[in-house]
Protein backbone atom coordinates (compact mmCIF):
# COMPACT_ATOMS: atom_id res chain seq x y z
CA UNK A 1 0.00 0.00 0.00
CA UNK A 2 1.63 3.23 -1.15
CA UNK A 3 -1.07 5.62 -0.02
CA UNK A 4 -3.96 5.75 2.39
CA UNK A 5 -7.14 4.80 0.56
CA UNK A 6 -10.61 5.94 1.51
CA UNK A 7 -11.56 2.30 2.13
CA UNK A 8 -8.69 1.89 4.61
CA UNK A 9 -9.53 5.20 6.28
CA UNK A 10 -13.12 4.01 6.74
CA UNK A 11 -11.88 0.79 8.35
CA UNK A 12 -9.75 2.83 10.76
CA UNK A 13 -12.67 5.13 11.56
CA UNK A 14 -15.12 2.27 12.15
CA UNK A 15 -12.68 0.33 14.34
CA UNK A 16 -11.84 3.44 16.39
CA UNK A 17 -15.54 3.99 17.06
CA UNK A 18 -15.98 0.29 17.88
CA UNK A 19 -13.19 0.57 20.47
CA UNK A 20 -14.90 3.63 21.92
CA UNK A 21 -18.15 1.69 22.27
CA UNK A 22 -16.32 -1.27 23.82
CA UNK A 23 -14.66 1.01 26.41
CA UNK A 24 -17.93 2.98 26.98
CA UNK A 25 -16.21 6.31 26.33
CA UNK A 26 -17.66 9.77 25.90
CA UNK A 27 -18.64 10.66 22.32
CA UNK A 28 -15.63 11.02 20.02
CA UNK A 29 -14.58 12.75 16.85
CA UNK A 30 -12.16 10.83 14.63
CA UNK A 31 -10.22 12.65 11.92
CA UNK A 32 -7.95 10.89 9.42
CA UNK A 33 -5.45 12.78 7.28
CA UNK A 34 -3.33 11.34 4.48
CA UNK A 35 0.46 11.78 4.41
CA UNK A 36 0.08 15.19 2.73
CA UNK A 37 -2.14 16.39 5.58
CA UNK A 38 -5.27 16.32 3.44
CA UNK A 39 -8.50 15.25 5.11
CA UNK A 40 -9.41 11.70 4.11
CA UNK A 41 -12.40 11.21 6.42
CA UNK A 42 -13.80 12.59 9.67
CA UNK A 43 -16.87 11.80 11.72
CA UNK A 44 -18.38 12.78 15.06
CA UNK A 45 -20.43 10.55 17.28
CA UNK A 46 -23.71 12.00 18.54
CA UNK A 47 -23.25 14.29 21.52
CA UNK A 48 -19.70 15.55 21.00
CA UNK A 49 -18.89 18.99 22.31
CA UNK A 50 -18.31 21.97 20.05
CA UNK A 51 -14.51 22.02 19.52
CA UNK A 52 -13.86 18.28 19.28
CA UNK A 53 -13.46 18.25 15.49
CA UNK A 54 -10.82 20.99 15.60
CA UNK A 55 -8.98 19.25 18.42
CA UNK A 56 -8.98 15.87 16.64
CA UNK A 57 -7.70 17.55 13.48
CA UNK A 58 -4.99 19.35 15.49
CA UNK A 59 -3.80 16.10 17.04
CA UNK A 60 -3.49 14.41 13.63
CA UNK A 61 -2.00 17.51 11.98
CA UNK A 62 0.57 17.96 14.74
CA UNK A 63 1.67 14.35 14.47
CA UNK A 64 2.17 14.71 10.71
CA UNK A 65 3.79 18.14 10.91
CA UNK A 66 6.37 17.01 13.43
CA UNK A 67 6.76 13.42 12.25
CA UNK A 68 5.91 11.89 15.62
CA UNK A 69 2.83 10.78 17.47
CA UNK A 70 1.27 13.46 19.64
CA UNK A 71 2.28 11.63 22.83
CA UNK A 72 5.88 12.47 21.89
CA UNK A 73 4.80 16.06 21.17
CA UNK A 74 3.23 16.19 24.63
CA UNK A 75 6.48 15.01 26.19
CA UNK A 76 8.46 17.51 24.14
CA UNK A 77 6.08 20.31 25.16
CA UNK A 78 6.82 19.51 28.80
CA UNK A 79 10.58 19.47 28.20
CA UNK A 80 10.82 22.26 25.61
CA UNK A 81 7.72 24.39 26.02
CA UNK A 82 9.19 27.35 24.14
CA UNK A 83 10.02 25.19 21.13
CA UNK A 84 6.54 23.67 20.84
CA UNK A 85 5.00 27.10 21.41
CA UNK A 86 7.15 28.54 18.60
CA UNK A 87 6.27 25.70 16.24
CA UNK A 88 2.59 26.11 17.08
CA UNK A 89 2.86 29.83 16.39
CA UNK A 90 4.38 29.10 12.98
CA UNK A 91 1.56 26.58 12.39
CA UNK A 92 -1.01 29.26 13.30
CA UNK A 93 -2.15 27.29 16.35
CA UNK A 94 -2.94 24.14 14.39
CA UNK A 95 -0.98 21.73 16.64
CA UNK A 96 -2.60 20.05 19.64
CA UNK A 97 0.36 18.45 21.47
CA UNK A 98 -1.44 15.91 23.66
CA UNK A 99 -1.97 12.15 23.16
CA UNK A 100 -4.57 11.15 20.60
CA UNK A 101 -2.69 11.92 17.38
CA UNK A 102 -1.21 8.72 15.94
CA UNK A 103 0.83 8.21 12.77
CA UNK A 104 -0.37 5.51 10.36
CA UNK A 105 2.53 3.41 9.10
CA UNK A 106 2.76 0.67 6.48
CA UNK A 107 6.12 -0.78 7.42
CA UNK A 108 8.39 2.25 7.24
CA UNK A 109 6.08 4.20 4.90
CA UNK A 110 4.05 7.02 6.42
CA UNK A 111 0.45 6.87 5.17
CA UNK A 112 -1.12 9.58 7.33
CA UNK A 113 -2.37 10.22 10.84
CA UNK A 114 -5.45 9.72 12.99
CA UNK A 115 -6.60 12.30 15.51
CA UNK A 116 -9.20 11.45 18.14
CA UNK A 117 -10.82 13.74 20.69
CA UNK A 118 -13.69 13.44 23.14
CA UNK A 119 -12.56 11.42 26.14
CA UNK A 120 -9.28 11.43 28.06
CA UNK A 121 -6.20 11.78 25.86
CA UNK A 122 -5.11 8.23 26.76
CA UNK A 123 -8.49 6.82 25.74
CA UNK A 124 -8.49 8.91 22.56
CA UNK A 125 -5.09 7.44 21.70
CA UNK A 126 -6.25 3.88 22.46
CA UNK A 127 -9.08 4.27 19.95
CA UNK A 128 -6.75 5.65 17.27
CA UNK A 129 -4.30 2.78 17.80
CA UNK A 130 -7.10 0.19 17.72
CA UNK A 131 -8.40 1.63 14.45
CA UNK A 132 -5.01 1.58 12.77
CA UNK A 133 -4.23 -1.95 13.93
CA UNK A 134 -7.66 -3.20 12.81
CA UNK A 135 -6.76 -2.02 9.29
CA UNK A 136 -3.61 -4.17 9.41
CA UNK A 137 -1.27 -1.20 9.75
CA UNK A 138 1.22 -0.03 12.37
CA UNK A 139 0.42 2.76 14.82
CA UNK A 140 3.07 5.21 16.01
CA UNK A 141 1.66 7.09 18.97
CA UNK A 142 4.99 8.56 19.98
Amino acid sequence: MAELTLDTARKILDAAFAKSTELKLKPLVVTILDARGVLKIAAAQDGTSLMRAEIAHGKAYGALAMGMGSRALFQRAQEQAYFIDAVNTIAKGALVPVPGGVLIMDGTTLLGAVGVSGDTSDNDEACAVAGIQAAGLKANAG
Side-chain angles (χ1 to χ4, degrees), residues 55-81:
I55 295 166
H57 186 276
K59 289 179 180 186
Y61 180 83
L64 280 176
M66 296 298 291
M68 61 183 76
S70 62
R71 179 170 293 279
L73 290 177
F74 176 70
Q75 184 65 35
R76 190 142 185 207
Q78 292 177 326
E79 296 168 359
Q80 297 178 312

Side-chain angles (χ1 to χ4, degrees), residues 36-119:
R36 303 168 300 148
V38 174
L39 178 65
K40 204 65 175 177
I41 194 168
Q45 292 178 310
D46 295 339
T48 59
S49 59
L50 185 61
M51 294 291 297
R52 291 298 170 192
E54 291 84 353
I55 295 166
H57 186 276
K59 289 179 180 186
Y61 180 83
L64 280 176
M66 296 298 291
M68 61 183 76
S70 62
R71 179 170 293 279
L73 290 177
F74 176 70
Q75 184 65 35
R76 190 142 185 207
Q78 292 177 326
E79 296 168 359
Q80 297 178 312
Y82 291 114
F83 175 75
I84 294 297
D85 184 54
V87 170
N88 209 8
T89 298
I90 293 166
K92 297 178 176 60
L95 306 179
V96 179
V98 297
V102 182
L103 296 175
I104 306 166
M105 307 295 298
D106 185 9
T108 59
T109 302
L110 175 66
L111 299 182
V114 178
V116 179
S117 181
D119 203 272

Side-chain angles (χ1 to χ4, degrees), residues 8-9 11-21 23 25 28-33 56 59-60 63 69-71 98-105 112-142:
T8 299
K11 288 177 187 173
I12 293 169
L13 178 85
D14 290 344
F17 283 148
K19 184 68 170 180
S20 171
T21 300
L23 296 175
L25 303 183
L28 300 181
V29 172
V30 175
T31 298
I32 302 172
L33 307 177
K59 289 179 180 186
S70 62
R71 179 170 293 279
V98 297
V102 182
L103 296 175
I104 306 166
M105 307 295 298
V114 178
V116 179
S117 181
D119 203 272
T120 67
S121 293
D122 289 340
N123 285 337
D124 293 347
E125 180 183 272
C127 292
V129 169
I132 293 166
Q133 289 176 344
L137 298 167
K138 182 180 173 191
N140 179 349

